[in-house]
Amino acid sequence: MSGFPEFDYHDDELFVESVPLKQIAEKFGTPCYVYSQSALTKAYQEFDAAFANRDHLICFAVKANSNIAILNLFSQLGSGFDIVSGGELQRVIKAGGDPGKTVFSGVGKNMHEMRMALDVNILCFNVESEAELISLNQIAKEMNKIAPVSLRINPDVDAKTHPYISTGLKENKFGIPASEAERIYQSARLYQNIRFIGLDYHIGSQLTELEPFIQASKKMLNLLDTLQSKNLEIEHLDLGGGLGIRYTNEILPSIRDYVSTLCTSTHQVKQRLLIEPGRSLVGNAGILLTRIEYLKHTPTRNFAIVDAAMNDLMRPALYDAYHEILPVNKNSGEIKDYQVVGPVCETGDFLGHDRQIGLMSGDFLAIMSAGAYGMSMSSNYNSRPRVAEIMVDKNTTHIIRQRETIDQLFSNEKILSH
Ligand code: LLP
């Protein structure tokens, strides 16, 4: 048992759904990202079912994985989207997603992005400052439109996660303190081209406990109460994303428990609930498949040098994140303590430290839980072309992103004529 339902061993060989990963590596080359369509679908359906009869909209956070085949799959399942840039909006549209089910988050939306989003009538702008609101009001006025808005409240709760991905503390750059938000909502008449339709929070990512969500919801409901007593109509509450996934043997709340906690903590109100899950929809539905180029044994350490690197999966280098590393074929070489590292010229270029695995060069490894913030955060550092992405549906494999070519790498560059 691998512990990852759609990526499991049959005898000693690791499969994704009904396809041996070795077959994928040989057919499409490595490194590549491999996704299970069944895992993606099940995760979405688990969220959807957990809301039961509560009016809701799931807005997949595009930043977690922005491949248009994945966006298209979620759109077909009924999903909306949470975007943070004009580029993500274009992807949603290209993938057949519905702008009317799309919310736009982020502290630094520029004028061009606001215009684009107003033009396609997105569901809501999650506004993060008064300055942004003034700018949005002005642009909507110029376009003769009314912009639908939620203010993103900063509830000042501790998400107890990695500091780089904690967003709901008052010292973070995100959101507006509740007291200030109250003042802004009450001065709604100053903003002729804004319609305040919601309240929003997002307190961080990879949360392993539900308590911070309960606290944040409480603060949001207090504000809702005040606004309603002043006759402000609020149509939806957006409770952000943030549910963590299991990377190793952490114990995590299930999707069902998370959603039912959100529903319970807002049971006294009738507003539609929106959520913006990213990682919990895609994280454990994808892996990074890599090949061992060389084994290198020094007097102090054993290195497995693989063909994937920090530019393909940044999380270990950036957050010291742990990803399980499984051999595609078990029982290959002698079991040793390995440092699994890439070819990039930095000591920070590692995928895993101190892994007890039996390996031989030419073997394939699966870097698990790489479906979220893997490909979407990859770069071309060291002039490494971005890798291919493969979707598996039962026993069928589909390439959903071609491997980048070296020519594409510098196609926008130019030598000056002297
Ligand atoms: N909504 C907003 C406004 C967000 O900023 C985010 C993530 C989400 C939703 C989705 O959160 P999730 O459900 O995926 O936790 N690169 C980091 C994670 C950054 C998360 C940024 N915001 C990582 O690899 O861990």
Side-chain angles (χ1 to χ4, degrees):
M1 286 279 288
S2 68
F4 300 93
E6 272 79 12
F7 298 86
D8 216 344
Y9 286 102
H10 296 238
D11 298 322
D12 281 341
E13 200 176 351
L14 192 59
F15 277 59
V16 45
E17 301 195 18
S18 311
V19 184
L21 280 167
K22 183 160 187 260
Q23 191 179 306
I24 294 180
E26 283 165 353
K27 182 164 174 196
F28 298 102
T30 56
C32 63
Y33 278 94
V34 183
Y35 306 106
S36 155
Q37 184 163 316
S38 156
L40 294 164
T41 306
K42 281 185 193 158
Y44 181 84
Q45 288 170 342
E46 198 179 337
F47 269 105
D48 205 30
F51 278 100
N53 295 325
R54 183 80 185 249
D55 185 13
H56 68 278
L57 179 66
I58 299 163
C59 295
F60 171 58
V62 173
K63 63 165 80 72
N65 191 316
S66 49
N67 184 291
I68 58 173
I70 290 179
L71 302 184
N72 174 261
L73 175 70
F74 284 137
S75 164
Q76 289 192 32
L77 290 168
S79 187
F81 299 95
D82 167 53
I83 56 163
V84 290
S85 71
E88 288 191 351
L89 177 57
Q90 303 273 27
R91 279 183 175 274
V92 167
I93 293 168
K94 178 87 182 167
D98 182 355
K101 288 183 176 177
T102 299
V103 296
F104 195 165
S105 304
V107 294
K109 304 171 192 79
N110 65 36
M111 284 182 185
H112 178 65
E113 292 171 322
M114 287 176 176
R115 271 195 205 104
M116 198 192 294
L118 282 167
D119 204 39
V120 297
N121 300 318
I122 63 158
L123 172 62
C124 193
F125 290 84
N126 291 340
V127 168
E128 305 222 14
S129 66
E130 204 166 6
E132 181 191 336
L133 192 64
I134 293 167
S135 178
L136 181 60
N137 185 52
Q138 180 59 32
I139 289 163
K141 188 173 169 192
E142 286 161 20
M143 292 175 72
N144 205 15
K145 291 239 178 195
I146 303 290
V149 162
S150 286
L151 294 188
R152 176 168 173 183
I153 314 304
N154 182 325
D156 192 25
V157 299
D158 185 357
K160 299 188 188 125
T161 182
H162 191 289
Y164 287 11
I165 54 177
S166 179
T167 54
L169 285 170
K170 61 177 185 302
E171 56 267 34
N172 298 140
K173 70 177 173 183
F174 298 98
I176 302 172
S179 54
E180 210 175 303
E182 185 183 324
R183 175 182 60 74
I184 299 172
Y185 277 109
Q186 288 184 27
S187 56
R189 64 184 185 290
L190 299 178
Y191 304 99
Q192 294 284 315
N193 291 72
I194 300 285
R195 194 161 72 87
F196 290 98
I197 62 164
L199 297 182
D200 168 48
Y201 72 66
H202 169 75
I203 53 178
S205 195
Q206 185 57 15
L207 271 73
T208 55
E209 293 171 26
L210 297 177
E211 189 52 37
F213 293 109
I214 299 174
Q215 283 177 32
S217 299
K218 241 184 224 156
K219 297 206 173 169
M220 180 181 269
L221 291 192
N222 285 342
L223 177 59
L224 178 68
D225 228 24
T226 316
L227 299 183
Q228 284 181 333
S229 70
K230 312 242 152 97
N231 293 327
L232 262 152
E233 275 289 316
I234 295 294
E235 295 165 22
H236 74 239
L237 302 180
D238 182 338
L239 310 178
L243 175 65
I245 60 165
R246 192 177 71 82
Y247 283 97
T248 168
N249 43 22
E250 312 95 320
I251 312 267
L252 278 137
S254 65
I255 290 174
R256 175 167 293 274
D257 288 348
Y258 163 70
V259 171
S260 75
T261 300
L262 296 183
C263 290
T264 312
S265 64
T266 56
H267 75 276
Q268 58 277 55
V269 300
K270 58 175 192 336
Q271 275 76 13
R272 182 189 206 198
L273 294 187
L274 264 59
I275 52 166
E276 305 166 353
R279 189 188 319 263
S280 49
L281 277 171
V282 291
N284 273 329
I287 62 147
L288 175 59
L289 189 57
T290 182
R291 180 177 180 275
I292 301 172
E293 297 284 2
Y294 305 106
L295 294 180
K296 173 170 168 175
H297 306 283
T298 72
T300 46
R301 288 187 140 182
N302 301 304
F303 293 96
I305 302 166
V306 299
D307 61 2
M310 65 188 282
N311 70 297
D312 305 310
L313 178 65
M314 260 182 100
R315 301 193 72 259
L318 190 58
Y319 313 114
D320 205 13
Y322 183 97
H323 286 256
E324 208 71 77
I325 300 181
L326 299 178
V328 166
N329 287 277
K330 274 191 193 165
N331 306 325
S332 175
E334 188 191 335
I335 295 189
K336 291 199 166 100
D337 184 71
Y338 278 104
Q339 313 300 319
V340 181
V341 300
V344 162
C345 297
E346 295 210 23
T347 302
D349 178 30
F350 68 93
L351 296 167
H353 287 314
D354 300 315
R355 305 304 172 92
Q356 311 291 322
I357 349 178
L359 301 175
M360 295 213 290
S361 70
D363 282 358
F364 299 110
L365 294 176
I367 320 288
M368 307 306 289
S369 314
Y373 307 109
M375 188 67 195
S376 63
M377 290 175 73
S378 67
S379 79
N380 292 123
Y381 188 39
N382 276 208
S383 285
R384 292 169 49 87
R386 269 170 303 173
V387 305
E389 291 178 288
I390 315 295
M391 176 81 87
V392 175
D393 178 18
K394 301 182 192 74
N395 55 7
T396 327
T397 52
H398 304 276
I399 183 146
I400 58 170
R401 182 190 180 114
Q402 298 284 351
R403 188 176 303 285
E404 209 167 16
T405 63
I406 295 286
D407 278 350
Q408 285 169 338
L409 270 190
F410 40 72
S411 62
N412 288 329
E413 297 170 33
K414 192 176 161 198
I415 293 173
L416 298 180
S417 46
H418 295 285

PDB file of all heavy atoms in Angstrom, residues 394-406:
ATOM      1  N   LYS A 394      -8.443   5.817 -16.036  1.00  0.00           N
ATOM      2  CA  LYS A 394      -8.489   4.336 -15.964  1.00  0.00           C
ATOM      3  C   LYS A 394      -7.263   3.737 -16.662  1.00  0.00           C
ATOM      4  O   LYS A 394      -6.172   3.818 -16.133  1.00  0.00           O
ATOM      5  CB  LYS A 394      -9.794   3.800 -16.532  1.00  0.00           C
ATOM      6  CG  LYS A 394     -11.006   4.340 -15.784  1.00  0.00           C
ATOM      7  CD  LYS A 394     -12.286   3.758 -16.326  1.00  0.00           C
ATOM      8  CE  LYS A 394     -13.474   4.511 -15.771  1.00  0.00           C
ATOM      9  NZ  LYS A 394     -13.659   5.849 -16.353  1.00  0.00           N
ATOM     10  N   ASN A 395      -7.444   3.189 -17.910  1.00  0.00           N
ATOM     11  CA  ASN A 395      -6.254   2.621 -18.555  1.00  0.00           C
ATOM     12  C   ASN A 395      -5.785   3.458 -19.745  1.00  0.00           C
ATOM     13  O   ASN A 395      -5.001   3.002 -20.569  1.00  0.00           O
ATOM     14  CB  ASN A 395      -6.511   1.173 -18.969  1.00  0.00           C
ATOM     15  CG  ASN A 395      -7.743   1.077 -19.836  1.00  0.00           C
ATOM     16  OD1 ASN A 395      -8.300   2.108 -20.224  1.00  0.00           O
ATOM     17  ND2 ASN A 395      -8.173  -0.135 -20.151  1.00  0.00           N
ATOM     18  N   THR A 396      -6.281   4.701 -19.819  1.00  0.00           N
ATOM     19  CA  THR A 396      -5.892   5.556 -20.949  1.00  0.00           C
ATOM     20  C   THR A 396      -5.017   6.706 -20.464  1.00  0.00           C
ATOM     21  O   THR A 396      -5.274   7.280 -19.400  1.00  0.00           O
ATOM     22  CB  THR A 396      -7.150   6.203 -21.590  1.00  0.00           C
ATOM     23  OG1 THR A 396      -8.216   5.304 -21.477  1.00  0.00           O
ATOM     24  CG2 THR A 396      -6.916   6.577 -23.019  1.00  0.00           C
ATOM     25  N   THR A 397      -4.010   7.045 -21.264  1.00  0.00           N
ATOM     26  CA  THR A 397      -3.158   8.188 -20.921  1.00  0.00           C
ATOM     27  C   THR A 397      -3.321   9.276 -21.979  1.00  0.00           C
ATOM     28  O   THR A 397      -3.419   8.976 -23.167  1.00  0.00           O
ATOM     29  CB  THR A 397      -1.668   7.778 -20.879  1.00  0.00           C
ATOM     30  OG1 THR A 397      -1.356   7.123 -22.110  1.00  0.00           O
ATOM     31  CG2 THR A 397      -1.362   6.865 -19.732  1.00  0.00           C
ATOM     32  N   HIS A 398      -3.387  10.518 -21.503  1.00  0.00           N
ATOM     33  CA  HIS A 398      -3.512  11.653 -22.431  1.00  0.00           C
ATOM     34  C   HIS A 398      -2.434  12.654 -22.085  1.00  0.00           C
ATOM     35  O   HIS A 398      -2.245  12.962 -20.906  1.00  0.00           O
ATOM     36  CB  HIS A 398      -4.847  12.365 -22.246  1.00  0.00           C
ATOM     37  CG  HIS A 398      -6.033  11.472 -22.395  1.00  0.00           C
ATOM     38  ND1 HIS A 398      -6.577  11.160 -23.614  1.00  0.00           N
ATOM     39  CD2 HIS A 398      -6.773  10.817 -21.471  1.00  0.00           C
ATOM     40  CE1 HIS A 398      -7.618  10.355 -23.427  1.00  0.00           C
ATOM     41  NE2 HIS A 398      -7.750  10.122 -22.134  1.00  0.00           N
ATOM     42  N   ILE A 399      -1.769  13.185 -23.094  1.00  0.00           N
ATOM     43  CA  ILE A 399      -0.816  14.249 -22.808  1.00  0.00           C
ATOM     44  C   ILE A 399      -1.610  15.561 -22.752  1.00  0.00           C
ATOM     45  O   ILE A 399      -2.348  15.885 -23.676  1.00  0.00           O
ATOM     46  CB  ILE A 399       0.359  14.260 -23.817  1.00  0.00           C
ATOM     47  CG1 ILE A 399       1.377  15.324 -23.453  1.00  0.00           C
ATOM     48  CG2 ILE A 399      -0.097  14.414 -25.250  1.00  0.00           C
ATOM     49  CD1 ILE A 399       2.793  14.931 -23.779  1.00  0.00           C
ATOM     50  N   ILE A 400      -1.525  16.277 -21.630  1.00  0.00           N
ATOM     51  CA  ILE A 400      -2.306  17.513 -21.494  1.00  0.00           C
ATOM     52  C   ILE A 400      -1.392  18.745 -21.525  1.00  0.00           C
ATOM     53  O   ILE A 400      -1.868  19.863 -21.466  1.00  0.00           O
ATOM     54  CB  ILE A 400      -3.212  17.496 -20.233  1.00  0.00           C
ATOM     55  CG1 ILE A 400      -2.406  17.282 -18.951  1.00  0.00           C
ATOM     56  CG2 ILE A 400      -4.310  16.453 -20.376  1.00  0.00           C
ATOM     57  CD1 ILE A 400      -3.210  17.499 -17.672  1.00  0.00           C
ATOM     58  N   ARG A 401      -0.106  18.512 -21.590  1.00  0.00           N
ATOM     59  CA  ARG A 401       0.839  19.608 -21.863  1.00  0.00           C
ATOM     60  C   ARG A 401       2.105  18.984 -22.434  1.00  0.00           C
ATOM     61  O   ARG A 401       2.706  18.102 -21.818  1.00  0.00           O
ATOM     62  CB  ARG A 401       1.180  20.351 -20.579  1.00  0.00           C
ATOM     63  CG  ARG A 401       2.107  21.516 -20.813  1.00  0.00           C
ATOM     64  CD  ARG A 401       2.620  22.072 -19.491  1.00  0.00           C
ATOM     65  NE  ARG A 401       3.493  23.191 -19.751  1.00  0.00           N
ATOM     66  CZ  ARG A 401       3.242  24.453 -19.409  1.00  0.00           C
ATOM     67  NH1 ARG A 401       2.163  24.752 -18.749  1.00  0.00           N
ATOM     68  NH2 ARG A 401       4.085  25.408 -19.697  1.00  0.00           N
ATOM     69  N   GLN A 402       2.471  19.448 -23.616  1.00  0.00           N
ATOM     70  CA  GLN A 402       3.691  18.949 -24.247  1.00  0.00           C
ATOM     71  C   GLN A 402       4.905  19.459 -23.483  1.00  0.00           C
ATOM     72  O   GLN A 402       4.875  20.580 -22.971  1.00  0.00           O
ATOM     73  CB  GLN A 402       3.801  19.476 -25.686  1.00  0.00           C
ATOM     74  CG  GLN A 402       2.682  19.049 -26.620  1.00  0.00           C
ATOM     75  CD  GLN A 402       2.818  17.609 -27.067  1.00  0.00           C
ATOM     76  OE1 GLN A 402       3.855  16.958 -26.812  1.00  0.00           O
ATOM     77  NE2 GLN A 402       1.784  17.078 -27.692  1.00  0.00           N
ATOM     78  N   ARG A 403       5.951  18.668 -23.470  1.00  0.00           N
ATOM     79  CA  ARG A 403       7.214  19.141 -22.900  1.00  0.00           C
ATOM     80  C   ARG A 403       7.675  20.360 -23.709  1.00  0.00           C
ATOM     81  O   ARG A 403       7.563  20.368 -24.934  1.00  0.00           O
ATOM     82  CB  ARG A 403       8.243  18.004 -23.025  1.00  0.00           C
ATOM     83  CG  ARG A 403       9.548  18.236 -22.317  1.00  0.00           C
ATOM     84  CD  ARG A 403      10.439  16.994 -22.448  1.00  0.00           C
ATOM     85  NE  ARG A 403       9.770  15.805 -21.918  1.00  0.00           N
ATOM     86  CZ  ARG A 403       9.613  15.538 -20.617  1.00  0.00           C
ATOM     87  NH1 ARG A 403      10.124  16.348 -19.722  1.00  0.00           N
ATOM     88  NH2 ARG A 403       8.986  14.456 -20.225  1.00  0.00           N
ATOM     89  N   GLU A 404       8.170  21.359 -23.022  1.00  0.00           N
ATOM     90  CA  GLU A 404       8.656  22.559 -23.705  1.00  0.00           C
ATOM     91  C   GLU A 404       9.919  22.216 -24.500  1.00  0.00           C
ATOM     92  O   GLU A 404      10.694  21.351 -24.067  1.00  0.00           O
ATOM     93  CB  GLU A 404       9.004  23.591 -22.627  1.00  0.00           C
ATOM     94  CG  GLU A 404       8.876  25.021 -23.034  1.00  0.00           C
ATOM     95  CD  GLU A 404       8.938  25.946 -21.808  1.00  0.00           C
ATOM     96  OE1 GLU A 404       9.371  25.506 -20.723  1.00  0.00           O
ATOM     97  OE2 GLU A 404       8.546  27.082 -21.934  1.00  0.00           O
ATOM     98  N   THR A 405      10.128  22.910 -25.618  1.00  0.00           N
ATOM     99  CA  THR A 405      11.352  22.643 -26.385  1.00  0.00           C
ATOM    100  C   THR A 405      12.396  23.718 -26.055  1.00  0.00           C
ATOM    101  O   THR A 405      12.052  24.796 -25.556  1.00  0.00           O
ATOM    102  CB  THR A 405      11.072  22.698 -27.904  1.00  0.00           C
ATOM    103  OG1 THR A 405      10.658  24.037 -28.221  1.00  0.00           O
ATOM    104  CG2 THR A 405       9.989  21.708 -28.311  1.00  0.00           C
ATOM    105  N   ILE A 406      13.636  23.404 -26.370  1.00  0.00           N
ATOM    106  CA  ILE A 406      14.708  24.380 -26.122  1.00  0.00           C
ATOM    107  C   ILE A 406      14.459  25.647 -26.959  1.00  0.00           C
ATOM    108  O   ILE A 406      14.639  26.758 -26.483  1.00  0.00           O
ATOM    109  CB  ILE A 406      16.087  23.756 -26.468  1.00  0.00           C
ATOM    110  CG1 ILE A 406      16.399  22.594 -25.515  1.00  0.00           C
ATOM    111  CG2 ILE A 406      17.197  24.807 -26.457  1.00  0.00           C
ATOM    112  CD1 ILE A 406      16.791  22.995 -24.120  1.00  0.00           C
TER     113      ILE A 406
END
